[in-house]
Amino acid sequence: MKYLEINHLKKTFGPLEVLKDISLSVEEGEVVSIIGPSGSGKSTLLRCATMLETMDGGELIYLGEKAVREENGRCVYAHKNQLKKIRKNFGLVFQSFHLFPHYSVLKNIIDAPVCVDHVPKGEAVERAEKLLAQLGLEDKRDAYPCQLSGGQQQRVSIARALALQPKILFFDEPTSALDPELTGEVLKVIRELAKQKMTMIIVTHEMQFARELSDRIIFMEDGVIRQQGTPEELFEHPDERVKEFIGKFQS
């Protein structure tokens, strides 16, 4: 089943055309990595897919429900109530954590389920404690973000996204703010999620990780998808531009 469909997505900022006719779909349980140079439109694609940015053209569909359609050359978003329901399908993990500094780890995780989804507090706490155990953070439930390492903060932000029980998890360069040792902690968590068949779309600069983990890799440049395919196809048979890009990470 297609969990996500993006058709002919366009996004401009003033005169700058950042995304030029992007189409892709993601199946249930699939792990898709998006790679490419800085400024290629990867993060903007994620922000449009999660409706943090408005689209200027194209369609956005989650599990068969249209969040955005194009009419007469402009994008029309679904009704507010329908969008609220559609948004429950996905979670987003940012590169810079975005934890509430004045909330404990536990409160950071249960806040959205209780306040947005109206999950009973006891159930939300139980859900959070299971996630903390799964992510190796049982002893940090009452700590505050300033008392955690970067790797621990990013694992809390993953737990917070999972607490809403999304169908799809988006990661926007989840390790770019971390040193190599802490990067390993976070990549380990994402690997475990992949084993559990979590549907994920990951913007990353970690080439080896993308190669090992992904079902499909998309290479973006200048607002278009230049090449996509299995890790074998991209790493063993890249076009010249992809070969040059990957080579910079392997040298």
Side-chain angles (χ1 to χ4, degrees), residues 175-237:
T175 60
S176 66
L178 304 175
D179 66 37
E181 189 176 357
L182 299 178
T183 291
E185 291 178 19
V186 174
L187 297 184
K188 183 181 174 189
V189 168
I190 299 173
R191 278 192 184 94
E192 285 302 313
L193 292 172
K195 281 183 192 171
Q196 295 164 25
K197 294 295 177 191
M198 183 78 200
T199 309
M200 293 185 283
I201 297 126
I202 307 164
V203 169
T204 184
H205 285 301
E206 302 284 339
M207 292 300 113
Q208 192 55 37
F209 173 72
R211 184 175 189 170
E212 287 170 17
L213 192 77
S214 309
D215 297 299
R216 185 155 44 99
I217 298 176
I218 291 170
F219 177 82
M220 283 184 66
E221 186 173 45
D222 297 329
V224 298
I225 294 173
R226 279 201 62 137
Q227 189 177 356
Q228 65 174 310
T230 64
E232 291 73 27
E233 286 166 343
L234 244 80
F235 281 84
E236 304 300 331
H237 308 287

Side-chain angles (χ1 to χ4, degrees), residues 118-154:
H118 309 296
V119 174
K121 189 176 177 184
E123 185 185 327
V125 168
E126 189 180 332
R127 201 184 283 180
E129 286 176 339
K130 276 186 186 167
L131 287 166
L132 288 171
Q134 184 185 331
L135 302 181
L137 294 165
E138 305 98 312
D139 58 337
K140 301 296 182 188
R141 76 191 291 279
D142 299 318
Y144 285 82
C146 65
Q147 298 171 306
L148 305 177
S149 70
Q152 289 168 334
Q153 288 187 62
Q154 190 61 296

